[in-house]
Amino acid sequence: MRFSRTSKALGVAAIVALAMTGCGGGSGSNTNSSAAVDPNKVITAYSNEPQNPLLPANTNEVYGGRVVELLFEGLRTYDADGKPVNALAESIETTDSQNWTIKVKSGSKFTNGEAITAKTFVDSWNFAALSTNLQNNGFFFESIEGYADVSAVTETTGADGKKTSTPAPTAQTMSGLVAKDDSTITVKLAQPEADWSLRLGYSAFFPLPSEALKDSKKFGENPIGNGPYKMAKEGAWVHDQSISLVKNADYSGPRTAKNGGVTFKFYTDPGPAYTDLQADNLDITDVIPSNALKTYTTDFPDRNSTKPVATDSTLNIPPYNPNFQGEAGKLRRQALSYAINREEIAKVVFSGTRTPAKAFAPPVIDGFKADLKGSEVLNFDAAKAKDLWAQAEKIKPYDGSKPLLIASNTDGGNKEWIEAVANGFKNNLGIEAEIQPFAKFAEVLDLRKSQSLPGLTRAGWQGDYPSLYNFLGPVWATNASSNYEKYSNPEFDKLLKEGLAAKSTEEANAKFNQAQEVLFQDLPGLPLWDQARAIVWSNNVISAETGWNGGIRYFNIEAK
């Protein structure tokens, strides 16, 4: 999150308090703390193939994101507790929450020697927002005056009912974004937003060198950044195998690397990765197989850590699925939710490393409220589920000619809980359901993006910046960057906008919670559980930790 000197940003008190409260596991360092640190040791870490070329404004999934965040640095970053820390920003100021002045530190460069100036940021943000550049994260610039002109698209509906969007910008740059000189950026928002500066640590706002704007696809295969690491060499990204990063010796920001580099090894199953960790052939993972959730603290004594984080999980229901449209569809969505025994799955499958969801945002986020109107649908009630399903059948019969598929990547340890959810649907609703497995997370995202899901899909959100809005806007707002299923409700959008324009944290969160009540009416997705992120590491690692949103702080890993 990003605080200005004269405006009040959305708070992180809840994150700071809860993130520091572990729910099990080690303290974050092993017993061999006296071992000599090797600052040149290269860490090997669990991961999977990124969905897209590594461009900050086009990367909105976790596996590509963890690489981008190490290769680049923006105006600000976040510490382990979610507190904003200035990086390339000398200052960020406003007197009215609508007009902002940002001073960029002088002397910063990309690893190719190109200077980073105010113009660098302006050009990068305009590139991200321009609809013809097809950047997934362009939505994050929605608040800047002139965004609507550069992001404009036209939509057509084909004979098959699918909508196609075609870029149709009426301007090439946002009118509210200006580089006054080499070190000064002025930003005018379309409306006052007290928490706008919270976003500036997110990867969409990272700067890009000029060559990225000329050939972004080529650049994304071997990106040049300004962060604590850089690509190891030409061809460091071996697709479907690994990505290798090495320490950036010229980096002087707040995230100085304590190791020599990070090699992300791609796995399609967490089981072999866990075995590799036990044999010290892999150094760290944040994905633990379900069958090891009861034993990881004893398998890795003093080499594990678990704490509540700003990450949640949902089961999304595409609005284009005929079985879940109209009044019958609304009843079926409710029935599905009541048929899921979240508490039992959290206890049995996840061994307590998940807690049943109470809202569309996790408890560690400031403004979280557990008793929102409509949230009772998250309770397990088999009788209620059957009754709602029966009501739907009277309106429109369910097409059960094929099993209800739940699309998911298999590398994230999802198979077991999806099977438990599918059994709940069968036992409580009498419908057949099963996992639609994919080896890569990117394959699921591509299917969602093309609106080609035959059934449901598992989904989740790891906070980009510590704000309640971040768990709502980018995921459920009309045309938002990660709203792959194309949910849209004008009342929801209106409440989000009113929350962003609020003058206090309390007023903003009240509006955002009202927006969640709209989601509970529509149920475009079913909140499942919130996470306590568990990580384990090898004997090669001295200390490791996760940040406020569950991401491993790779630069802070000490090894021997």
Side-chain angles (χ1 to χ4, degrees):
M1 53 188 295
R2 300 311 176 213
F3 290 107
S4 72
R5 293 181 181 177
T6 56
S7 69
K8 184 177 181 182
L10 295 184
V12 291
I15 293 173
V16 175
L18 288 175
M20 298 303 291
T21 304
C23 64
S27 62
S29 61
N30 64 23
T31 54
N32 194 18
S33 59
S34 61
V37 176
D38 181 358
N40 298 313
K41 174 76 174 182
V42 174
I43 304 299
T44 56
Y46 177 99
S47 198
N48 200 298
E49 177 78 5
Q51 180 189 20
N52 298 308
L54 297 171
L55 286 158
N58 201 40
T59 301
N60 60 353
E61 46 81 26
V62 66
Y63 294 126
R66 60 184 49 174
V67 180
V68 164
E69 288 176 359
L70 297 180
L71 291 174
F72 294 87
E73 183 138 278
L75 294 166
R76 282 174 158 178
T77 185
Y78 308 106
D79 70 11
D81 303 326
K83 181 180 178 181
V85 178
N86 277 359
L88 294 188
E90 190 72 48
S91 63
I92 302 173
E93 300 179 339
T94 184
T95 57
D96 59 5
S97 297
Q98 183 171 15
N99 295 280
W100 299 75
T101 299
I102 302 169
K103 290 291 186 179
V104 181
K105 290 180 180 177
S106 60
S108 297
K109 297 180 180 181
F110 293 104
T111 56
N112 65 354
E114 182 180 331
I116 300 174
T117 66
K119 185 177 183 298
T120 306
F121 281 98
V122 169
D123 289 346
S124 300
W125 295 2
N126 279 319
F127 171 84
L130 190 63
S131 57
T132 51
N133 290 328
L134 304 175
Q135 299 296 287
N136 283 326
N137 291 332
F139 177 79
F140 278 83
F141 299 91
E142 61 168 338
S143 298
I144 300 176
E145 190 173 81
Y147 170 77
D149 298 326
V150 302
S151 64
V153 298
T154 57
E155 284 195 347
T156 56
T157 303
D160 57 358
K162 289 187 177 181
K163 292 183 179 180
T164 302
S165 297
T166 303
T170 58
Q172 297 296 301
T173 60
M174 290 179 279
S175 58
L177 182 62
V178 178
K180 290 291 187 180
D181 53 46
D182 283 349
S183 62
T184 308
I185 305 170
T186 60
V187 183
K188 183 178 181 181
L189 306 184
Q191 64 176 8
E193 293 184 10
D195 81 327
W196 179 75
S197 61
L198 284 174
R199 311 175 192 186
L200 298 180
Y202 179 50
S203 57
F205 296 88
F206 289 168
L208 287 171
S210 55
E211 66 180 75
L213 310 183
K214 298 173 183 176
D215 189 342
S216 60
K217 186 175 181 180
K218 179 181 177 181
F219 175 87
E221 292 294 323
N222 189 33
I224 296 166
N226 63 316
Y229 297 90
K230 59 183 179 180
M231 298 293 275
K233 56 184 178 180
E234 190 74 28
W237 184 355
V238 182
H239 286 283
D240 298 320
Q241 293 185 35
S242 64
I243 290 179
S244 299
L245 311 181
V246 295
K247 183 190 300 185
N248 177 9
D250 296 325
Y251 175 80
S252 59
R255 297 184 295 149
T256 300
K258 294 182 178 180
N259 50 67
V262 181
T263 295
F264 292 104
K265 299 175 68 174
F266 301 162
Y267 291 85
T268 57
D269 186 329
Y274 196 78
T275 301
D276 282 350
L277 265 160
Q278 290 176 307
D280 292 333
N281 292 324
L282 181 71
D283 289 324
I284 193 164
T285 185
D286 56 352
V287 179
I288 297 175
S290 297
N291 62 2
L293 287 173
K294 291 183 178 179
T295 63
Y296 74 91
T297 58
T298 53
D299 292 341
F300 295 87
D302 299 316
R303 290 186 285 124
N304 68 86
S305 179
T306 310
K307 70 180 184 183
V309 295
T311 304
D312 62 12
S313 298
T314 58
L315 190 61
N316 287 9
I317 307 172
Y320 51 81
N321 188 313
N323 278 320
F324 300 99
Q325 293 176 337
E327 184 61 26
K330 183 176 182 179
L331 292 169
R332 287 197 178 97
R333 290 166 186 265
Q334 295 172 4
L336 290 178
S337 189
Y338 278 115
I340 301 172
N341 194 333
R342 294 166 176 80
E343 186 172 352
E344 182 178 68
I345 293 173
K347 181 179 179 180
V348 176
V349 177
F350 292 115
S351 299
T353 59
R354 304 288 190 276
T355 56
K358 301 297 182 184
F360 281 83
V364 298
I365 291 293
D366 186 36
F368 170 83
K369 191 176 180 181
D371 57 350
L372 295 169
K373 183 179 179 181
S375 63
E376 63 274 5
V377 76
L378 302 180
N379 299 327
F380 174 61
D381 190 331
K384 183 77 169 176
K386 291 176 182 177
D387 179 59
L388 289 165
W389 195 268
Q391 291 181 45
E393 286 296 287
K394 293 178 181 178
I395 300 173
K396 180 183 177 182
Y398 176 76
D399 180 4
S401 57
K402 296 180 180 179
L404 178 62
L405 297 178
I406 302 174
S408 176
N409 53 309
T410 56
D411 67 287
N414 297 299
K415 182 175 180 290
E416 291 80 6
W417 73 256
I418 290 178
E419 289 178 344
V421 167
N423 285 334
F425 293 163
K426 180 179 180 180
N427 296 334
N428 300 312
L429 300 175
I431 63 171
E432 295 294 330
E434 61 187 45
I435 188 172
Q436 182 184 11
F438 294 89
K440 302 176 188 176
F441 184 44
E443 292 177 312
V444 181
L445 291 177
D446 289 340
L447 197 66
R448 294 175 62 194
K449 193 171 183 179
S450 64
Q451 295 189 275
S452 303
L453 289 167
L456 313 185
T457 181
R458 85 98 186 163
W461 191 255
Q462 182 182 65
D464 300 315
Y465 55 94
S467 166
L468 189 56
Y469 172 81
N470 183 240
F471 283 81
L472 304 175
V475 188
W476 303 115
T478 301
N479 295 324
S481 56
S482 294
N483 185 0
Y484 290 135
E485 282 70 62
K486 301 298 182 183
Y487 167 73
S488 180
N489 185 311
E491 178 63 18
F492 175 77
D493 295 340
K494 175 175 174 289
L495 288 166
L496 288 186
K497 187 174 182 179
E498 290 174 355
L500 290 173
K503 296 181 179 180
S504 71
T505 299
E506 293 74 21
E507 291 177 13
N509 287 337
K511 289 293 183 180
F512 296 147
N513 282 325
Q514 287 180 44
Q516 288 193 75
E517 292 178 354
V518 175
L519 294 180
F520 276 119
Q521 292 174 16
D522 295 342
L523 286 179
L526 310 179
L528 296 174
W529 31 76
D530 304 307
Q531 295 188 23
R533 180 59 51 83
I535 61 171
V536 296
W537 53 87
S538 74
N539 283 300
N540 300 322
V541 172
I542 296 173
S543 65
E545 64 176 346
T546 54
W548 66 277
N549 65 354
I552 296 174
R553 289 165 63 81
Y554 297 100
F555 65 90
N556 218 32
I557 294 176
E558 293 184 323
K560 56 184 177 178

